[in-house]
Amino acid sequence: MRKTFIKTLSEISRDNEDIYIVCGDAGFGVFEDFKKEKPDRFINTGVAEANMIGYSAGLAITGFNVFVYNIIPFLLYRCYEQVRNDICYQRLPVTLVGIGSGVTYAPAGMTHYSVEDIALCRSLPNLSIISPIDPIETKAAIEYAVEYNGPLFIRLAKSGELVIRKDESMDITVPHVISEGEDVAIISYGSIFSEALHAVNILKNEGIEPALISLPMIKPINEEAIFDIINGFRAVIILEEHLRYGGLVSILADLFIERGIGARFIPLTLPDAFIHDVNRQAGMRRKYGIDAEGVARTVRSVITDKSQGYLLQNR
Amino acid sequence: MSLKTEQMVFAIHKAMSVREKILKMANRSKGAHVGSCLSVVDILTYLYFKELRIRPEDTLWEDRDYFLMSKGHGAMALYAVLAERGVIDEKLLKGYMQEDGTLPAHLDRFSVPGIEVSAGALGHGLSIAVGIAHGLKLRSKKNRVFVLMGDGECQEGSVWEAAMLAPKLKLSNLTVIVDLNDLQGYGRPSELVSFYPFAEKWKAFGWEAVEADGHNFDSLRSAFTRADRSSLPSVIIAKTVKGKGISFMEDELKWHYFIVTDEHLSAALMELKGA
Ligand SMILES: Cc1ncc(C[n+]2csc(CCOP(=O)(O)OP(=O)(O)O)c2C)c(N)n1
């Protein structure tokens, strides 16, 4: 995802003088070529995140299309008020490109996890959120960001994510059915999507076919499209590498309640707790039941226990 | 005011053993930050064997000196010195970053005894240290508070917010050590966002600022002695080399990130032992 991000942005910036990259002392191995090519369109403002964001807002006021790159906690948490007041409140064209979604960096420790970022960002007016599942969605997200004229958070993992989407010329703002199915639908976003995909492949061998939906743009959510897609499913499993509250589960719950639509949600998330376990990302996902096996187990139990959930009511 | 020969030999031996532990942890874990850790070995060795009043068997002893490792990415160095000093079992180092292990890559105060505060996001330690130092003063306690920061870390505004508060609270019981290796995550502080002249800035804020060679025990000793005697909060600006002790790692940005392979490890250990 990191490579796709810089490759896409570098290509676009060859004939776009307004693109400017700001990093907060991160990006070793990412920006070397860009710095050479466009030395006056890149700055490392150091380990000083509040200033990094305020400065980016200022650049945006002078007409630059600013991309800020950092590890998510140092992109959003340390400087939340700057993001809120300087970028979102003033609706400035700044794209916040964050890496290390979820527990990508495990076992780095809680300081380096970004497991409440969706909760923080969803509450900020004017801020859009895109969390790609793979390099193809990442490319589409960056292209969208260049055109979009407002505050945007792009939530990336790190590197080595496999290609999942086949449709390069997609509309990143709509949810997309990756795998057709019935009875149970799985919705996910971000790099953990690969676990859901793996689960679907395991289940296919058992004759179970849940639907699998990618939802890259979490805010604003394309409400009509999401209702159309999940209408008729008995239960919806929401898989996210995020703490239990404030993420996609909460976002969809809000939406369904508001519309008076009954639906059975099964949240597969990290717990409502600080994480002290020493495990790598794969082990951590396994421990909290949000890996492929956990998803498959959940689908099986929903399929066999018909009391779990009920048909979604039409609007 | 230099160390006696046998004390010097002892300290050098301890530092070498700490370096060996760090290199092995870095190799086994395939994790980053070996350069950041080697940079502070001599400072930590001096602190844990010469300066800090602690009881290895009772890390919550109420009269202890507090040590806060603000540059939390130097975790391996702290774990290694805690093991060397007998605060934690050396066997625990094998669980560094391992599946269901005990030691994470940044500091978690609930992981093992002797970790005074959790850290990993830069620029938090000094503020907490100011709070602890003031709390101790309010309770008329004699404990001292030490905090170790990176030089890149000193670009954080919060560092200077705390630096303004400490003299106002007359925190003579507080000593900051800055690991001045002139490398950070993606460049050099002197080139990116320079804070020089550095000692003068601290002095202007009302601190006792002492410069030292962060790899020389005699130099560290006189710096800590001056800090201890000062009625002001003190900062020891310790000139260091990132990756110190392993020639091919010294003063190289990439060793903030690079993994210590088996080949690197054997070359590094050979150099250490030969030294
Ligand atoms: C608030 C915050 N921002 C960014 C980071 C990412 N980061 C980890 S280490 C580092 C460089 C630190 O440089 P320095 O303090 O000089 O320590 P060194 O490793 O050079 O000893 C950065 C930017 C972080 N951990 N915390």
Side-chain angles (χ1 to χ4, degrees), chain A residues 24-26 47-49 70-71 74 78 112, chain B residues 33 35-37 39-40 71 73 106 120-124 149-154 156 179 181 183-186 189 242 256:
Chain A
D25 206 27
V47 197
E49 294 76 14
N70 216 333
I71 302 174
F74 316 132
R78 186 55 174 274
H112 283 60
Chain B
H33 301 143
S36 313
C37 290
S39 186
V40 295
K71 51 172 272 189
H73 64 288
H106 295 84
L122 298 165
H124 287 245
M149 297 194 295
D151 54 356
E153 181 174 9
C154 291
E156 287 287 1
D179 167 32
N181 59 29
L183 275 173
Q184 53 185 102
Y186 200 23
K242 201 158 169 170
H256 188 86

Side-chain angles (χ1 to χ4, degrees), chain A residues 117-172:
Chain A
D117 53 338
I118 302 296
L120 283 178
C121 287
R122 72 169 288 217
S123 64
L124 285 178
N126 292 340
L127 183 63
S128 296
I129 310 172
I130 301 179
S131 181
I133 60 172
D134 73 347
I136 308 297
E137 282 193 359
T138 303
K139 179 165 181 284
I142 300 302
E143 288 166 354
Y144 178 87
V146 173
E147 294 304 316
Y148 182 68
N149 209 29
L152 174 65
F153 168 45
I154 299 182
R155 185 192 207 237
L156 304 181
K158 203 166 110 188
S159 52
E161 293 82 10
L162 296 176
V163 168
I164 297 173
R165 292 202 54 169
K166 313 274 186 286
D167 45 335
E168 284 227 21
S169 55
M170 71 182 77
D171 178 355
I172 195 74

